[in-house]
Amino acid sequence: MTAPSLPLAEFVVGVDNVIFSVDTDQNRLLVLLVQRQQVPFAGYWSLPGTLVRQGESLEAAAYRTLAEKIRVSNLYLEQLYTFGEPARDPRETTYGKRYLSVSYFALVRFADAELIAGGECPVQWFALSTCPELAFDHNKILAYGHRRLCNKLEYSPVAFDVLPEYFTLNDLYQFYSTVLGANFSDYSNFRSRLLKLGILQDTHQKVIRGAGRPATLYRFDREAFAPLKDKPLVFV
Amino acid sequence: MTAPSLPLAEFVVGVDNVIFSVDTDQNRLLVLLVQRQQVPFAGYWSLPGTLVRQGESLEAAAYRTLAEKIRVSNLYLEQLYTFGEPARDPRETTYGKRYLSVSYFALVRFADAELIAGGECPVQWFALSTCPELAFDHNKILAYGHRRLCNKLEYSPVAFDVLPEYFTLNDLYQFYSTVLGANFSDYSNFRSRLLKLGILQDTHQKVIRGAGRPATLYRFDREAFAPLKDKPLVFV
């Protein structure tokens, strides 16, 4: 790092979390939002975030602010992207410091996630398809998070972390369609590709959904997947 | 973002670049390092970085510091990861501000990259296999960058951006082996998988390398690849 010829920028650093879930009953991709009570953007919905405190790691700040808003088992936050260009936060003008945001990302199982009411700010799941205009540049952060989620679904078995233990191939297809958009692949290609990977265990049990024919229930075969874990694979 | 109950951390923000290249003649994976002239870590080699100035975006700072050290066509920096835990930089104790680093990443074509001599700090390519102990947490940042590079090679056609226009399948295999490590795949699997993707154009020209038999020269077929661009693919 060389001696600067212009003054260095001073920064306040925040973290913002893009928490996705999939409501498999209604085939909706959901994102967790909180309603801001303070200026700037009072009344606007935003990603759950906070400013980093002295002695606190970025990750710790991200987990801290979520712990006040949602109870969920096995929450694993992954760093997403850092947004730090000038003027992304109107408080920069007021306080003369730039506000940088390190964003984090997680996909959580809908049935396991309990929203905590009675906190400082209202907390709510929003369908991504009807997401309002958010505070700051949070729509941009959210769009970035959605691209990462699609990417993870394509290249990793993350779907099986949040689906119910037993599922039909159609359940799985619906899940992928909900996140990646309809027609991401035709059903028969999807089905043959996934079965070929050899990571779905046929339980030899059938289930009837609606008026359809009985469909086989599968489960994710973690033992069969173990030797493939570090190999590049495509899941869609 | 909620009102904090402990004081907020104050930050200085820097950028650090992990610039890789592959010397295909010698099958070496290289990383660009600069030798620090100032405390802390005077005399140590480090990733080329700088502190962000007022009004400057993170990306602009990353490009600025590289422009003083290397001339290369089509440099495209991609954000890698943000390192911001307390005490990662000894200057935190001196100045009472935390030093956060946003790292950037690029793979450049070795033949196109010209190092700029006579600047403030010596600049040099180092083979990753003989990389010294670096200043700050830069070995950790470098390791993270190497993982990202392997990942990109596996899932994207980035190799063809830096290989010569015409190459044999063995050249390509050597390139992948240099980055991913020997035995990442056996040659015949690699060969058949890549040919099956249909993105390599047979030029019907042969070349003789050393004492071997004449080998076919291929080129990357950008037209054939265009419809596959947004589909998830595996290249190894």
Side-chain angles (χ1 to χ4, degrees), chain A residues 1-16 36 38 49-59 68-69 79 81-86 91 97-98 100 102 120 154-155 231-234 236, chain B residues 1-16 36 38 49-59 68-69 79 81-86 91 97-98 100 102 120 154-155 231-234 236:
Chain A
M1 300 190 181
T2 60
S5 54
L6 277 171
L8 296 183
E10 289 182 65
F11 284 87
V12 173
V13 172
V15 291
D16 290 300
R36 288 181 59 81
Q38 295 170 321
T50 190
L51 298 174
V52 178
R53 298 174 182 172
Q54 288 181 15
E56 185 180 49
S57 73
L58 308 176
E59 285 82 0
E68 299 159 359
K69 296 170 182 75
Q79 201 185 92
Y81 200 80
T82 293
F83 297 82
E85 70 274 16
R91 288 171 292 186
K97 294 191 179 182
R98 200 188 307 179
L100 176 146
V102 182
E120 206 173 335
E154 289 168 350
Y155 291 116
K231 290 195 194 302
L233 286 180
V234 168
V236 295
Chain B
M1 302 192 183
T2 59
S5 53
L6 277 172
L8 296 183
E10 289 182 63
F11 284 87
V12 173
V13 172
V15 291
D16 290 300
R36 288 182 59 81
Q38 295 171 321
T50 189
L51 299 174
V52 178
R53 297 174 181 172
Q54 290 182 13
E56 185 179 49
S57 73
L58 307 176
E59 284 83 359
E68 300 158 358
K69 297 172 181 74
Q79 201 186 93
Y81 199 80
T82 294
F83 298 83
E85 69 274 16
R91 290 173 289 187
K97 294 189 179 183
R98 201 189 306 181
L100 175 145
V102 182
E120 206 174 335
E154 290 168 349
Y155 292 117
K231 290 196 195 303
L233 286 180
V234 167
V236 295

Side-chain angles (χ1 to χ4, degrees), chain A residues 48-116:
Chain A
T50 190
L51 298 174
V52 178
R53 298 174 182 172
Q54 288 181 15
E56 185 180 49
S57 73
L58 308 176
E59 285 82 0
Y63 282 106
R64 167 172 58 80
T65 192
L66 282 177
E68 299 159 359
K69 296 170 182 75
I70 187 171
R71 264 185 287 269
V72 60
S73 49
N74 299 321
L75 178 64
Y76 171 69
L77 291 174
E78 180 185 323
Q79 201 185 92
L80 183 63
Y81 200 80
T82 293
F83 297 82
E85 70 274 16
R88 57 171 293 282
D89 188 314
R91 288 171 292 186
E92 183 173 333
T93 318
T94 318
Y95 298 111
K97 294 191 179 182
R98 200 188 307 179
Y99 283 68
L100 176 146
S101 166
V102 182
S103 55
Y104 286 83
F105 158 92
L107 175 65
V108 302
R109 195 194 289 247
F110 187 56
D112 288 355
E114 184 195 344
L115 303 190
I116 300 171

Side-chain angles (χ1 to χ4, degrees), chain B:
Chain B
M1 302 192 183
T2 59
S5 53
L6 277 172
L8 296 183
E10 289 182 63
F11 284 87
V12 173
V13 172
V15 291
D16 290 300
N17 297 292
V18 186
I19 309 298
F20 288 115
S21 194
V22 175
D23 173 1
T24 46
D25 288 344
Q26 298 192 50
N27 294 327
R28 296 187 312 161
L29 174 59
L30 304 172
V31 61
L32 188 71
L33 299 177
V34 300
Q35 192 171 31
R36 288 182 59 81
Q37 304 300 299
Q38 295 171 321
V39 291
F41 293 103
Y44 277 70
W45 292 88
S46 70
L47 299 172
T50 189
L51 299 174
V52 178
R53 297 174 181 172
Q54 290 182 13
E56 185 179 49
S57 73
L58 307 176
E59 284 83 359
Y63 282 106
R64 167 171 59 80
T65 192
L66 282 177
E68 300 158 358
K69 297 172 181 74
I70 187 171
R71 265 185 286 269
V72 60
S73 49
N74 299 320
L75 178 64
Y76 171 70
L77 291 173
E78 180 185 323
Q79 201 186 93
L80 183 62
Y81 199 80
T82 294
F83 298 83
E85 69 274 16
R88 58 171 293 281
D89 188 314
R91 290 173 289 187
E92 182 173 333
T93 316
T94 318
Y95 299 111
K97 294 189 179 183
R98 201 189 306 181
Y99 283 68
L100 175 145
S101 166
V102 182
S103 55
Y104 286 83
F105 159 93
L107 176 64
V108 303
R109 194 193 288 245
F110 188 54
D112 288 357
E114 184 195 344
L115 302 190
I116 300 172
E120 206 174 335
C121 307
V123 187
Q124 201 178 298
W125 290 114
F126 278 76
L128 198 69
S129 54
T130 59
C131 177
E133 192 195 330
L134 303 177
F136 307 106
D137 53 359
H138 287 192
N139 286 98
K140 190 169 136 189
I141 300 178
L142 175 57
Y144 198 93
H146 187 215
R147 285 202 296 281
R148 174 75 63 93
L149 175 63
C150 293
N151 204 266
K152 278 193 84 81
L153 228 61
E154 290 168 349
Y155 292 117
S156 86
V158 68
F160 306 108
D161 292 338
V162 295
L163 274 171
E165 187 176 0
Y166 300 98
F167 49 82
T168 66
L169 287 175
N170 191 53
D171 293 341
L172 193 58
Y173 183 70
Q174 287 301 332
F175 182 91
Y176 275 83
S177 298
T178 300
V179 178
L180 299 175
N183 309 318
F184 76 94
S185 164
D186 74 60
Y187 177 68
S188 85
N189 274 343
F190 175 80
R191 177 193 157 97
S192 62
R193 182 188 285 268
L194 264 171
L195 290 177
K196 203 172 141 197
L197 287 176
I199 57 173
L200 297 185
Q201 192 176 49
D202 185 338
T203 65
H204 302 292
Q205 291 172 33
K206 302 256 181 190
V207 68
I208 297 175
R209 297 267 163 84
R213 289 192 304 166
T216 302
L217 282 173
Y218 289 85
R219 60 193 293 275
F220 181 55
D221 187 341
R222 291 186 193 275
E223 253 177 69
F225 180 67
L228 303 173
K229 200 177 154 303
D230 296 321
K231 290 196 195 303
L233 286 180
V234 167
F235 290 80
V236 295

